[in-house]
Amino acid sequence: MYSSLQQQCLVELGVTPYDLNDQYQQSDDATEIQQTLQPANVASTQPTRPRPQATKTATADIPPDLSETKAEAPTVVDYWKDCSPELISDLAVLFPQMQLSVMAFNHCLAQLKDQLYWNVAPKAQVQYVQMESIDQNIMITSPLPNELSLSQKKELWLLLQPHTAQQNTES
């Protein structure tokens, strides 16, 4: 048997204790039946409150500005460190001013020239070769070089070729 305070707590949490249920009631005392059935009737007319969750308590302790900052600040990964040294040396021949792992446009990019950037990411994140103009800068985005298909390599070369050092010296 539960005390009346325990019964109220259980009813408020949406749990019907066995002694509040008629089929489990074995007491002949009418006043006790009336007392135990009263909280059950009240619970059926009032909406039950949802149970408190531990996550609400944990996040309530964190100031709102910190929790929003963590959600807004994604982790930036430098995928250029995973590229082969041969590719990097080939790019250095074509773009002598190249700098790897430059933070720009919320990504870790290769800055091939003053206003030319190349962003690489795994194929799960970036599936196509694309070029976009941001202010007066050009950013080429592609899957990692080792994940490029033959047609994507051709497309990438067509985008990079006008900007190479060899192309500029011939003009």
Side-chain angles (χ1 to χ4, degrees), residues 114-131:
D114 284 337
Q115 296 176 332
L116 179 66
Y117 297 88
W118 184 7
N119 178 28
V120 294
K123 201 159 192 153
Q125 295 176 13
V126 177
Q127 296 179 355
Y128 307 103
V129 175
Q130 55 193 358
M131 183 174 78

Side-chain angles (χ1 to χ4, degrees), residues 138-158:
I138 296 172
M139 183 170 73
I140 298 172
T141 303
S142 75
L144 289 168
N146 62 340
E147 295 179 341
L148 290 169
S149 68
L150 183 59
S151 62
Q152 288 175 324
K153 288 178 184 178
K154 288 178 183 178
E155 185 179 359
L156 182 63
W157 175 245
L158 289 173

Side-chain angles (χ1 to χ4, degrees), residues 20 31 34 47 50 60 63 65 92 104 115 120 123 133 152-153 161:
L20 294 179
T31 57
Q34 183 63 28
D65 57 330
Q115 296 176 332
V120 294
K123 201 159 192 153
S133 178
Q152 288 175 324
K153 288 178 184 178
Q161 188 178 12

Side-chain angles (χ1 to χ4, degrees), residues 64-92:
D65 57 330
L66 291 178
S67 63
E68 290 174 8
T69 304
K70 288 181 182 177
E72 292 175 7
T75 304
V76 177
V77 180
D78 182 12
Y79 292 111
W80 283 101
K81 65 179 173 38
D82 298 332
C83 292
S84 71
E86 294 83 13
L87 171 73
I88 304 301
S89 62
D90 289 347
L91 283 174

